[in-house]
Amino acid sequence: MRPPFMNTREQLDSLDGQQYLVLRPTSDVADCYVEEQTRALELRELPHPHTGHVTLRGFYEPTRRDDLAALVRAWASTQQPIEIIADAVDVFPEPWQIVILRLARTRALVTAYTSLTEILDATDFRRLGELSVDEWTFHMSVVYGKTLAREDWQAIEAARVREFQHSVSEVVSDVELVSYVGGKEHREIIRLGH
């Protein structure tokens, strides 16, 4: 059984009614993520995802989850497995203050994001925090430091941000549609290209 992405009461409550389409790395990128998160948490205990993931989209469709899932299944059936490459530890600066594992803009990742946008543009699904593919930074959130004072944040940023000498890659063969309902996380695993 796959572990949850979020597991604290505060996280689960704050996400109620929302859905996320995510990629879950399970080998080399996942190992890199765990190592980076462990090092960041050694500096300071901060809120963080329970499991590393790459968010492709966020939604707020508490009453149309089945319709959203049908659209995602149709989109996923046309997608090939997606290569993800971690190339740096970076940050989203103030006001977000999030340490991230930055991902390269692989052709597969950009194509998946773009094709999903095209399908979603023909719908009225409510999307959360969406940016154009040119503005989007593909990433995995490592720790959330929004509550830190500026000097504490700057210390974490200085200690963790760096480019990798050798990038880390893996291919992900499915997506997960994650829904938050009544303080619980629900996941549907959807194979790509099937």
Side-chain angles (χ1 to χ4, degrees):
M1 184 166 177
R2 296 180 179 197
F5 293 106
M6 301 295 177
N7 68 341
T8 69
R9 177 60 37 215
E10 183 179 355
Q11 289 170 332
L12 293 169
D13 288 346
S14 73
L15 296 169
D16 197 58
Q18 298 177 30
Q19 302 79 39
Y20 291 88
L21 183 63
V22 303
L23 302 169
R24 181 196 297 256
T26 58
S27 62
D28 293 345
V29 172
D31 293 344
C32 176
Y33 175 86
V34 168
E35 182 178 327
E36 293 304 328
Q37 188 179 65
T38 299
R39 289 181 177 175
L41 292 172
E42 286 171 353
L43 295 172
R44 182 87 178 234
E45 184 60 37
L46 290 168
H48 57 278
H50 181 64
T51 302
H53 58 280
V54 182
T55 300
L56 294 177
R57 281 302 190 287
F59 304 93
Y60 185 78
E61 287 297 341
T63 63
R64 297 193 299 171
R65 291 191 318 271
D66 291 341
D67 295 337
L68 178 61
L71 179 137
V72 168
R73 283 188 222 105
W75 167 82
S77 71
T78 68
Q79 299 300 306
Q80 294 303 307
I82 299 171
E83 180 182 28
I84 55 174
I85 301 172
D87 58 14
V89 177
D90 206 344
V91 296
F92 291 137
E94 295 177 90
W96 303 280
Q97 296 185 177
I98 303 171
V99 176
I100 64 169
L101 192 61
R102 192 182 68 218
L103 304 177
R105 296 174 65 83
T106 64
R107 181 177 180 174
L109 200 50
V110 169
T111 298
Y113 192 92
T114 302
S115 66
L116 185 58
T117 300
E118 290 169 0
I119 290 172
L120 288 169
D121 282 350
T123 74
D124 64 349
F125 287 123
R126 182 173 172 198
R127 297 177 255 178
L128 302 174
E130 182 172 313
L131 297 172
S132 73
V133 70
D134 293 332
E135 297 173 294
W136 187 252
T137 300
F138 293 102
H139 69 281
M140 298 171 68
S141 297
V142 176
V143 294
Y144 306 120
K146 187 172 185 159
T147 60
L148 291 178
R150 171 176 265 174
E151 52 278 357
D152 293 333
W153 168 249
Q154 289 173 340
I156 289 176
E157 187 176 9
R160 298 309 318 141
V161 171
R162 71 189 189 294
E163 299 284 328
F164 293 159
Q165 276 190 316
H166 304 286
S167 59
V168 180
S169 68
E170 71 175 86
V171 175
V172 178
S173 298
D174 55 46
V175 292
E176 294 183 45
L177 184 58
V178 186
S179 299
Y180 295 92
V181 181
K184 295 187 190 295
E185 180 180 283
H186 305 272
R187 298 178 305 278
E188 178 180 349
I189 299 167
I190 305 166
R191 296 286 293 173
L192 296 171
H194 291 281

PDB file of all heavy atoms in Angstrom, residues 70-96:
ATOM      1  N   ALA A  70     -13.034  11.084 -14.356  1.00  0.00           N
ATOM      2  CA  ALA A  70     -13.258  10.589 -15.722  1.00  0.00           C
ATOM      3  C   ALA A  70     -12.394  11.370 -16.718  1.00  0.00           C
ATOM      4  O   ALA A  70     -11.790  10.776 -17.625  1.00  0.00           O
ATOM      5  CB  ALA A  70     -14.736  10.695 -16.088  1.00  0.00           C
ATOM      6  N   LEU A  71     -12.320  12.681 -16.547  1.00  0.00           N
ATOM      7  CA  LEU A  71     -11.479  13.491 -17.430  1.00  0.00           C
ATOM      8  C   LEU A  71     -10.012  13.104 -17.277  1.00  0.00           C
ATOM      9  O   LEU A  71      -9.295  12.956 -18.267  1.00  0.00           O
ATOM     10  CB  LEU A  71     -11.682  14.976 -17.125  1.00  0.00           C
ATOM     11  CG  LEU A  71     -10.832  15.918 -17.980  1.00  0.00           C
ATOM     12  CD1 LEU A  71     -11.657  17.103 -18.447  1.00  0.00           C
ATOM     13  CD2 LEU A  71      -9.610  16.386 -17.210  1.00  0.00           C
ATOM     14  N   VAL A  72      -9.552  12.924 -16.049  1.00  0.00           N
ATOM     15  CA  VAL A  72      -8.151  12.567 -15.810  1.00  0.00           C
ATOM     16  C   VAL A  72      -7.840  11.200 -16.413  1.00  0.00           C
ATOM     17  O   VAL A  72      -6.787  11.007 -17.031  1.00  0.00           O
ATOM     18  CB  VAL A  72      -7.814  12.607 -14.303  1.00  0.00           C
ATOM     19  CG1 VAL A  72      -6.455  11.968 -14.022  1.00  0.00           C
ATOM     20  CG2 VAL A  72      -7.846  14.049 -13.797  1.00  0.00           C
ATOM     21  N   ARG A  73      -8.754  10.253 -16.274  1.00  0.00           N
ATOM     22  CA  ARG A  73      -8.538   8.926 -16.868  1.00  0.00           C
ATOM     23  C   ARG A  73      -8.393   9.013 -18.388  1.00  0.00           C
ATOM     24  O   ARG A  73      -7.534   8.367 -18.982  1.00  0.00           O
ATOM     25  CB  ARG A  73      -9.676   7.981 -16.488  1.00  0.00           C
ATOM     26  CG  ARG A  73      -9.573   7.446 -15.083  1.00  0.00           C
ATOM     27  CD  ARG A  73     -10.640   6.356 -14.831  1.00  0.00           C
ATOM     28  NE  ARG A  73     -11.196   6.571 -13.518  1.00  0.00           N
ATOM     29  CZ  ARG A  73     -12.388   7.090 -13.246  1.00  0.00           C
ATOM     30  NH1 ARG A  73     -13.222   7.415 -14.214  1.00  0.00           N
ATOM     31  NH2 ARG A  73     -12.763   7.256 -11.994  1.00  0.00           N
ATOM     32  N   ALA A  74      -9.257   9.811 -19.014  1.00  0.00           N
ATOM     33  CA  ALA A  74      -9.187   9.972 -20.473  1.00  0.00           C
ATOM     34  C   ALA A  74      -7.860  10.617 -20.882  1.00  0.00           C
ATOM     35  O   ALA A  74      -7.215  10.175 -21.840  1.00  0.00           O
ATOM     36  CB  ALA A  74     -10.368  10.807 -20.969  1.00  0.00           C
ATOM     37  N   TRP A  75      -7.442  11.653 -20.154  1.00  0.00           N
ATOM     38  CA  TRP A  75      -6.162  12.308 -20.445  1.00  0.00           C
ATOM     39  C   TRP A  75      -5.008  11.325 -20.247  1.00  0.00           C
ATOM     40  O   TRP A  75      -4.135  11.213 -21.102  1.00  0.00           O
ATOM     41  CB  TRP A  75      -5.994  13.536 -19.543  1.00  0.00           C
ATOM     42  CG  TRP A  75      -4.605  14.078 -19.548  1.00  0.00           C
ATOM     43  CD1 TRP A  75      -4.055  14.918 -20.481  1.00  0.00           C
ATOM     44  CD2 TRP A  75      -3.571  13.805 -18.593  1.00  0.00           C
ATOM     45  NE1 TRP A  75      -2.745  15.181 -20.164  1.00  0.00           N
ATOM     46  CE2 TRP A  75      -2.433  14.506 -19.005  1.00  0.00           C
ATOM     47  CE3 TRP A  75      -3.506  13.036 -17.435  1.00  0.00           C
ATOM     48  CZ2 TRP A  75      -1.229  14.458 -18.295  1.00  0.00           C
ATOM     49  CZ3 TRP A  75      -2.323  12.983 -16.728  1.00  0.00           C
ATOM     50  CH2 TRP A  75      -1.204  13.693 -17.152  1.00  0.00           C
ATOM     51  N   ALA A  76      -5.002  10.591 -19.149  1.00  0.00           N
ATOM     52  CA  ALA A  76      -3.902   9.672 -18.834  1.00  0.00           C
ATOM     53  C   ALA A  76      -3.763   8.579 -19.887  1.00  0.00           C
ATOM     54  O   ALA A  76      -2.647   8.121 -20.168  1.00  0.00           O
ATOM     55  CB  ALA A  76      -4.105   9.059 -17.453  1.00  0.00           C
ATOM     56  N   SER A  77      -4.869   8.170 -20.479  1.00  0.00           N
ATOM     57  CA  SER A  77      -4.816   7.095 -21.478  1.00  0.00           C
ATOM     58  C   SER A  77      -4.019   7.509 -22.714  1.00  0.00           C
ATOM     59  O   SER A  77      -3.525   6.655 -23.444  1.00  0.00           O
ATOM     60  CB  SER A  77      -6.225   6.664 -21.880  1.00  0.00           C
ATOM     61  OG  SER A  77      -6.855   7.663 -22.662  1.00  0.00           O
ATOM     62  N   THR A  78      -3.870   8.817 -22.940  1.00  0.00           N
ATOM     63  CA  THR A  78      -3.139   9.311 -24.108  1.00  0.00           C
ATOM     64  C   THR A  78      -1.691   9.661 -23.793  1.00  0.00           C
ATOM     65  O   THR A  78      -0.953  10.076 -24.686  1.00  0.00           O
ATOM     66  CB  THR A  78      -3.830  10.552 -24.698  1.00  0.00           C
ATOM     67  OG1 THR A  78      -3.710  11.645 -23.770  1.00  0.00           O
ATOM     68  CG2 THR A  78      -5.299  10.282 -24.993  1.00  0.00           C
ATOM     69  N   GLN A  79      -1.297   9.528 -22.522  1.00  0.00           N
ATOM     70  CA  GLN A  79       0.048   9.932 -22.099  1.00  0.00           C
ATOM     71  C   GLN A  79       0.978   8.730 -21.986  1.00  0.00           C
ATOM     72  O   GLN A  79       0.562   7.665 -21.538  1.00  0.00           O
ATOM     73  CB  GLN A  79      -0.009  10.631 -20.733  1.00  0.00           C
ATOM     74  CG  GLN A  79      -0.838  11.880 -20.702  1.00  0.00           C
ATOM     75  CD  GLN A  79      -0.336  12.924 -21.663  1.00  0.00           C
ATOM     76  OE1 GLN A  79       0.837  13.295 -21.621  1.00  0.00           O
ATOM     77  NE2 GLN A  79      -1.196  13.385 -22.546  1.00  0.00           N
ATOM     78  N   GLN A  80       2.221   8.949 -22.351  1.00  0.00           N
ATOM     79  CA  GLN A  80       3.252   7.947 -22.138  1.00  0.00           C
ATOM     80  C   GLN A  80       3.850   8.167 -20.743  1.00  0.00           C
ATOM     81  O   GLN A  80       3.683   9.233 -20.145  1.00  0.00           O
ATOM     82  CB  GLN A  80       4.343   8.065 -23.209  1.00  0.00           C
ATOM     83  CG  GLN A  80       3.837   7.740 -24.608  1.00  0.00           C
ATOM     84  CD  GLN A  80       3.227   6.345 -24.667  1.00  0.00           C
ATOM     85  OE1 GLN A  80       3.852   5.367 -24.267  1.00  0.00           O
ATOM     86  NE2 GLN A  80       1.988   6.256 -25.146  1.00  0.00           N
ATOM     87  N   PRO A  81       4.565   7.170 -20.200  1.00  0.00           N
ATOM     88  CA  PRO A  81       5.258   7.392 -18.930  1.00  0.00           C
ATOM     89  C   PRO A  81       6.114   8.665 -18.990  1.00  0.00           C
ATOM     90  O   PRO A  81       6.597   9.043 -20.063  1.00  0.00           O
ATOM     91  CB  PRO A  81       6.095   6.127 -18.783  1.00  0.00           C
ATOM     92  CG  PRO A  81       5.271   5.085 -19.479  1.00  0.00           C
ATOM     93  CD  PRO A  81       4.698   5.804 -20.681  1.00  0.00           C
ATOM     94  N   ILE A  82       6.265   9.303 -17.850  1.00  0.00           N
ATOM     95  CA  ILE A  82       6.875  10.633 -17.773  1.00  0.00           C
ATOM     96  C   ILE A  82       8.218  10.560 -17.054  1.00  0.00           C
ATOM     97  O   ILE A  82       8.298  10.119 -15.908  1.00  0.00           O
ATOM     98  CB  ILE A  82       5.929  11.603 -17.037  1.00  0.00           C
ATOM     99  CG1 ILE A  82       4.603  11.726 -17.813  1.00  0.00           C
ATOM    100  CG2 ILE A  82       6.590  12.966 -16.849  1.00  0.00           C
ATOM    101  CD1 ILE A  82       3.518  12.483 -17.075  1.00  0.00           C
ATOM    102  N   GLU A  83       9.263  11.013 -17.739  1.00  0.00           N
ATOM    103  CA  GLU A  83      10.588  11.081 -17.111  1.00  0.00           C
ATOM    104  C   GLU A  83      10.663  12.346 -16.268  1.00  0.00           C
ATOM    105  O   GLU A  83      10.295  13.433 -16.721  1.00  0.00           O
ATOM    106  CB  GLU A  83      11.696  11.110 -18.157  1.00  0.00           C
ATOM    107  CG  GLU A  83      13.085  11.171 -17.522  1.00  0.00           C
ATOM    108  CD  GLU A  83      14.211  11.241 -18.531  1.00  0.00           C
ATOM    109  OE1 GLU A  83      13.992  11.756 -19.649  1.00  0.00           O
ATOM    110  OE2 GLU A  83      15.320  10.805 -18.176  1.00  0.00           O
ATOM    111  N   ILE A  84      11.133  12.178 -15.043  1.00  0.00           N
ATOM    112  CA  ILE A  84      11.401  13.341 -14.192  1.00  0.00           C
ATOM    113  C   ILE A  84      12.871  13.318 -13.801  1.00  0.00           C
ATOM    114  O   ILE A  84      13.446  12.257 -13.545  1.00  0.00           O
ATOM    115  CB  ILE A  84      10.476  13.393 -12.961  1.00  0.00           C
ATOM    116  CG1 ILE A  84      10.541  12.116 -12.147  1.00  0.00           C
ATOM    117  CG2 ILE A  84       9.050  13.698 -13.372  1.00  0.00           C
ATOM    118  CD1 ILE A  84       9.755  12.190 -10.866  1.00  0.00           C
ATOM    119  N   ILE A  85      13.461  14.513 -13.795  1.00  0.00           N
ATOM    120  CA  ILE A  85      14.884  14.668 -13.500  1.00  0.00           C
ATOM    121  C   ILE A  85      15.039  15.744 -12.435  1.00  0.00           C
ATOM    122  O   ILE A  85      14.657  16.900 -12.653  1.00  0.00           O
ATOM    123  CB  ILE A  85      15.682  15.064 -14.760  1.00  0.00           C
ATOM    124  CG1 ILE A  85      15.527  14.011 -15.859  1.00  0.00           C
ATOM    125  CG2 ILE A  85      17.144  15.292 -14.410  1.00  0.00           C
ATOM    126  CD1 ILE A  85      16.134  14.426 -17.195  1.00  0.00           C
ATOM    127  N   ALA A  86      15.607  15.376 -11.289  1.00  0.00           N
ATOM    128  CA  ALA A  86      15.902  16.345 -10.231  1.00  0.00           C
ATOM    129  C   ALA A  86      17.276  16.933 -10.506  1.00  0.00           C
ATOM    130  O   ALA A  86      18.245  16.188 -10.665  1.00  0.00           O
ATOM    131  CB  ALA A  86      15.868  15.670  -8.873  1.00  0.00           C
ATOM    132  N   ASP A  87      17.350  18.273 -10.575  1.00  0.00           N
ATOM    133  CA  ASP A  87      18.643  18.878 -10.880  1.00  0.00           C
ATOM    134  C   ASP A  87      19.145  19.888  -9.852  1.00  0.00           C
ATOM    135  O   ASP A  87      20.262  20.378  -9.966  1.00  0.00           O
ATOM    136  CB  ASP A  87      18.659  19.484 -12.285  1.00  0.00           C
ATOM    137  CG  ASP A  87      17.583  20.538 -12.516  1.00  0.00           C
ATOM    138  OD1 ASP A  87      16.972  21.017 -11.541  1.00  0.00           O
ATOM    139  OD2 ASP A  87      17.357  20.882 -13.691  1.00  0.00           O
ATOM    140  N   ALA A  88      18.340  20.170  -8.806  1.00  0.00           N
ATOM    141  CA  ALA A  88      18.791  21.141  -7.802  1.00  0.00           C
ATOM    142  C   ALA A  88      17.881  21.121  -6.585  1.00  0.00           C
ATOM    143  O   ALA A  88      16.741  20.683  -6.662  1.00  0.00           O
ATOM    144  CB  ALA A  88      18.796  22.552  -8.396  1.00  0.00           C
ATOM    145  N   VAL A  89      18.416  21.621  -5.477  1.00  0.00           N
ATOM    146  CA  VAL A  89      17.581  22.015  -4.344  1.00  0.00           C
ATOM    147  C   VAL A  89      17.455  23.528  -4.465  1.00  0.00           C
ATOM    148  O   VAL A  89      18.449  24.242  -4.590  1.00  0.00           O
ATOM    149  CB  VAL A  89      18.203  21.636  -2.987  1.00  0.00           C
ATOM    150  CG1 VAL A  89      17.325  22.133  -1.847  1.00  0.00           C
ATOM    151  CG2 VAL A  89      18.413  20.137  -2.891  1.00  0.00           C
ATOM    152  N   ASP A  90      16.237  24.000  -4.464  1.00  0.00           N
ATOM    153  CA  ASP A  90      15.968  25.414  -4.686  1.00  0.00           C
ATOM    154  C   ASP A  90      14.888  25.845  -3.699  1.00  0.00           C
ATOM    155  O   ASP A  90      14.503  25.061  -2.823  1.00  0.00           O
ATOM    156  CB  ASP A  90      15.527  25.617  -6.134  1.00  0.00           C
ATOM    157  CG  ASP A  90      15.815  27.014  -6.674  1.00  0.00           C
ATOM    158  OD1 ASP A  90      16.070  27.934  -5.873  1.00  0.00           O
ATOM    159  OD2 ASP A  90      15.762  27.187  -7.902  1.00  0.00           O
ATOM    160  N   VAL A  91      14.387  27.057  -3.853  1.00  0.00           N
ATOM    161  CA  VAL A  91      13.316  27.544  -2.972  1.00  0.00           C
ATOM    162  C   VAL A  91      12.309  28.360  -3.752  1.00  0.00           C
ATOM    163  O   VAL A  91      12.624  28.923  -4.802  1.00  0.00           O
ATOM    164  CB  VAL A  91      13.857  28.426  -1.817  1.00  0.00           C
ATOM    165  CG1 VAL A  91      14.758  27.636  -0.895  1.00  0.00           C
ATOM    166  CG2 VAL A  91      14.544  29.672  -2.334  1.00  0.00           C
ATOM    167  N   PHE A  92      11.097  28.407  -3.227  1.00  0.00           N
ATOM    168  CA  PHE A  92      10.159  29.457  -3.562  1.00  0.00           C
ATOM    169  C   PHE A  92      10.346  30.477  -2.440  1.00  0.00           C
ATOM    170  O   PHE A  92      10.132  30.155  -1.258  1.00  0.00           O
ATOM    171  CB  PHE A  92       8.728  28.944  -3.602  1.00  0.00           C
ATOM    172  CG  PHE A  92       8.458  27.996  -4.756  1.00  0.00           C
ATOM    173  CD1 PHE A  92       7.730  26.847  -4.561  1.00  0.00           C
ATOM    174  CD2 PHE A  92       8.939  28.261  -6.027  1.00  0.00           C
ATOM    175  CE1 PHE A  92       7.466  25.980  -5.611  1.00  0.00           C
ATOM    176  CE2 PHE A  92       8.688  27.402  -7.091  1.00  0.00           C
ATOM    177  CZ  PHE A  92       7.947  26.252  -6.881  1.00  0.00           C
ATOM    178  N   PRO A  93      10.764  31.694  -2.772  1.00  0.00           N
ATOM    179  CA  PRO A  93      11.119  32.672  -1.736  1.00  0.00           C
ATOM    180  C   PRO A  93       9.901  33.234  -1.014  1.00  0.00           C
ATOM    181  O   PRO A  93       8.775  32.789  -1.230  1.00  0.00           O
ATOM    182  CB  PRO A  93      11.840  33.755  -2.536  1.00  0.00           C
ATOM    183  CG  PRO A  93      11.232  33.674  -3.899  1.00  0.00           C
ATOM    184  CD  PRO A  93      10.903  32.217  -4.124  1.00  0.00           C
ATOM    185  N   GLU A  94      10.145  34.236  -0.161  1.00  0.00           N
ATOM    186  CA  GLU A  94       9.052  34.924   0.514  1.00  0.00           C
ATOM    187  C   GLU A  94       8.039  35.363  -0.533  1.00  0.00           C
ATOM    188  O   GLU A  94       8.445  35.753  -1.625  1.00  0.00           O
ATOM    189  CB  GLU A  94       9.568  36.148   1.271  1.00  0.00           C
ATOM    190  CG  GLU A  94      10.510  35.813   2.414  1.00  0.00           C
ATOM    191  CD  GLU A  94      11.033  37.078   3.078  1.00  0.00           C
ATOM    192  OE1 GLU A  94      10.367  37.531   4.017  1.00  0.00           O
ATOM    193  OE2 GLU A  94      12.061  37.596   2.644  1.00  0.00           O
ATOM    194  N   PRO A  95       6.766  35.296  -0.300  1.00  0.00           N
ATOM    195  CA  PRO A  95       6.123  34.972   0.972  1.00  0.00           C
ATOM    196  C   PRO A  95       5.888  33.479   1.200  1.00  0.00           C
ATOM    197  O   PRO A  95       5.424  33.090   2.260  1.00  0.00           O
ATOM    198  CB  PRO A  95       4.776  35.698   0.860  1.00  0.00           C
ATOM    199  CG  PRO A  95       4.460  35.620  -0.604  1.00  0.00           C
ATOM    200  CD  PRO A  95       5.795  35.732  -1.314  1.00  0.00           C
ATOM    201  N   TRP A  96       6.230  32.614   0.210  1.00  0.00           N
ATOM    202  CA  TRP A  96       5.923  31.188   0.347  1.00  0.00           C
ATOM    203  C   TRP A  96       6.912  30.461   1.244  1.00  0.00           C
ATOM    204  O   TRP A  96       6.523  29.635   2.050  1.00  0.00           O
ATOM    205  CB  TRP A  96       5.883  30.515  -1.030  1.00  0.00           C
ATOM    206  CG  TRP A  96       4.907  31.170  -1.936  1.00  0.00           C
ATOM    207  CD1 TRP A  96       3.561  30.990  -1.964  1.00  0.00           C
ATOM    208  CD2 TRP A  96       5.196  32.152  -2.920  1.00  0.00           C
ATOM    209  NE1 TRP A  96       2.989  31.788  -2.923  1.00  0.00           N
ATOM    210  CE2 TRP A  96       3.978  32.522  -3.523  1.00  0.00           C
ATOM    211  CE3 TRP A  96       6.365  32.771  -3.360  1.00  0.00           C
ATOM    212  CZ2 TRP A  96       3.901  33.463  -4.544  1.00  0.00           C
ATOM    213  CZ3 TRP A  96       6.297  33.705  -4.377  1.00  0.00           C
ATOM    214  CH2 TRP A  96       5.071  34.044  -4.944  1.00  0.00           C
TER     215      TRP A  96
END
